[in-house]
Amino acid sequence: MSHTLGVRQAQKQKTRQALLDAALQLLEEQSLSSLGLREVTRAVGVAPTAFYRHFRDMADLGVALVEEALGSLHTALTALLSATGDSAGEDEGEERIAATVELIAAYVRTHPAHVRFIAREQHGGVQAVRAAIGGQLALFAQEVRDQFAHEPQAAGWAEDDLLMLAGMYVDHMVMTASALLEAGAAGADPGAAERVAATARRQLRLVSLGRRHWLDER
């Protein structure tokens, strides 16, 4: 009996993932608010009623895509910040700056459809999905703030100021990912992505400079 249940559970998970994959592919050319449930089930080859064994509605599927798109980045970002935390000195973290931009670039290269989905739906028409994206980005900001709080340069900083700095860091990551995606879509200009990355590194240096001197003005 347990073997049969295991097989059924595996098949259920396989179908759920197939629905997510099909939706993500269909969303390459349209927004979630315009995507129909029947389009997704047709692409997978299941009856529309089967959809409801996995998701309440299309908004619920969209929230699952948000978690799929951003969930894996939490571990990678936390590890990056932890590994480069000791490099935040007078030249504040050139290693961190380069590693951050490369982390974003690598994610765009390996998950372009997920990045496109987040970029489009962050301000899209499905409220539950907008809220899920906002929640994930807020969690990123809290994680970044917590890492910054353990670094020597955080001495004397108010918690709200650290969260503001972390939010700028996360917003920069999202902006850079969108810009890299557009640069890759252009295709004809092989140097476009590197120019985006170079600009992103310069912007992070500016944020770092402001961080070093923030308390000078307080």
Side-chain angles (χ1 to χ4, degrees), residues 79 120 150 209:
R120 179 182 288 138
H150 289 96
L209 179 64

Side-chain angles (χ1 to χ4, degrees), residues 66-157:
V66 172
E67 294 171 354
E68 182 178 86
L70 296 177
S72 63
L73 280 177
H74 288 280
T75 301
L77 179 59
T78 301
L80 183 155
L81 293 174
S82 179
T84 58
D86 293 337
S87 67
E90 184 61 29
D91 60 348
E92 175 156 318
E94 281 295 320
E95 179 187 357
R96 170 176 288 176
I97 289 170
T100 297
V101 175
E102 178 51 34
L103 173 67
I104 301 166
Y107 193 75
V108 172
R109 288 193 298 268
T110 55
H111 298 82
H114 285 101
V115 175
R116 185 175 296 106
F117 169 73
I118 295 298
R120 179 182 288 138
E121 299 301 330
Q122 185 178 7
H123 304 291
V126 182
Q127 191 278 333
V129 174
R130 291 199 311 272
I133 295 172
Q136 285 284 339
L137 297 182
L139 183 57
F140 275 125
Q142 292 166 12
E143 292 169 349
V144 173
R145 177 202 59 195
D146 292 345
Q147 178 60 43
F148 285 170
H150 289 96
E151 298 174 0
Q153 289 195 1
W157 277 65

